[in-house]
């Protein structure tokens, strides 16, 4: 058991050393990788902004031409008013939940 743990530790150590050797010893490699990462991140964020604008414009056009607001319910204007009696509360509940 102890030998397996020691082998895993040594393998992990050598893997870390060999994987990071190029980035640690070569200045050009580190700069090239960082430059590519910045470009990729910028392109991804540009795509997010572009898709957000397309969705916003599409929904604005949809709301302007196709969405008709239905304002035929008078109880919507009184929705924040507290009913004065139990009968008013029951009528409000029936109208709100469309039970009639």
């Amino acid at each position: 058991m102890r030998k397996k743990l020691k082998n895993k530790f040594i393998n992990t150590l050598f893997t870390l050393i060999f994987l990071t050797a190029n980035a640690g010893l070569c200045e050009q490699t580190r700069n090239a990788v960082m430059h590519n990462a910045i470009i990729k991140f910028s392109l991804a964020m540009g795509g997010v902004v572009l898709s957000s604008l397309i969705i916003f414009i599409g929904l604005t056009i949809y709301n302007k031409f196709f969405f008709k607001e239905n304002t035929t319910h008078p109880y919507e204007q009184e929705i924040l008013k507290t009913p004065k009696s139990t009968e008013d509360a029951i009528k409000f509940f029936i109208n709100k939940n469309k039970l009639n």
Side-chain angles (χ1 to χ4, degrees), residues 24-42:
L25 297 176
C26 183
E27 186 66 31
Q28 290 177 339
T29 304
R30 189 176 319 131
N31 289 338
V33 170
M34 192 60 175
H35 183 68
N36 288 340
I38 292 171
I39 290 174
K40 287 180 183 180
F41 180 77
S42 300

Side-chain angles (χ1 to χ4, degrees), residues 15-26:
T15 303
L16 288 173
I17 288 172
F18 288 122
L19 287 178
T20 58
N22 281 343
L25 297 176
C26 183

Side-chain angles (χ1 to χ4, degrees), residues 1-16:
M1 179 74 172
R2 194 170 208 165
K3 190 172 185 176
K4 287 182 183 180
L5 185 62
K6 184 178 178 184
N7 286 341
K8 283 185 181 181
F9 178 73
I10 291 173
N11 286 339
T12 305
L13 185 65
F14 279 127
T15 303
L16 288 173

Side-chain angles (χ1 to χ4, degrees), residues 6 8 11-12 20 22 24 27 29 32 34 42-43 45 57-58 60 62 65-66 70 75 77-78 82 88 90 92 94:
K6 184 178 178 184
K8 283 185 181 181
N11 286 339
T12 305
T20 58
N22 281 343
E27 186 66 31
T29 304
M34 192 60 175
S42 300
L43 288 174
M45 287 301 110
I57 291 170
T60 303
Y62 175 79
F65 293 113
F66 300 112
N70 190 3
Y75 70 88
Q77 296 170 355
E78 299 180 7
T82 304
D88 290 340
I90 292 171
F92 177 75
I94 289 172

Side-chain angles (χ1 to χ4, degrees), residues 45-88:
M45 287 301 110
V48 168
V49 169
L50 181 66
S51 63
S52 298
L53 286 174
I54 290 171
I55 291 170
F56 177 76
I57 291 170
L59 288 175
T60 303
I61 291 171
Y62 175 79
N63 284 336
K64 192 168 192 171
F65 293 113
F66 300 112
F67 184 71
K68 305 276 192 229
E69 190 173 334
N70 190 3
T71 57
T72 60
H73 302 291
Y75 70 88
E76 288 179 352
Q77 296 170 355
E78 299 180 7
I79 201 161
L80 295 177
K81 294 181 181 174
T82 304
K84 305 257 189 263
S85 66
T86 306
E87 188 175 315
D88 290 340

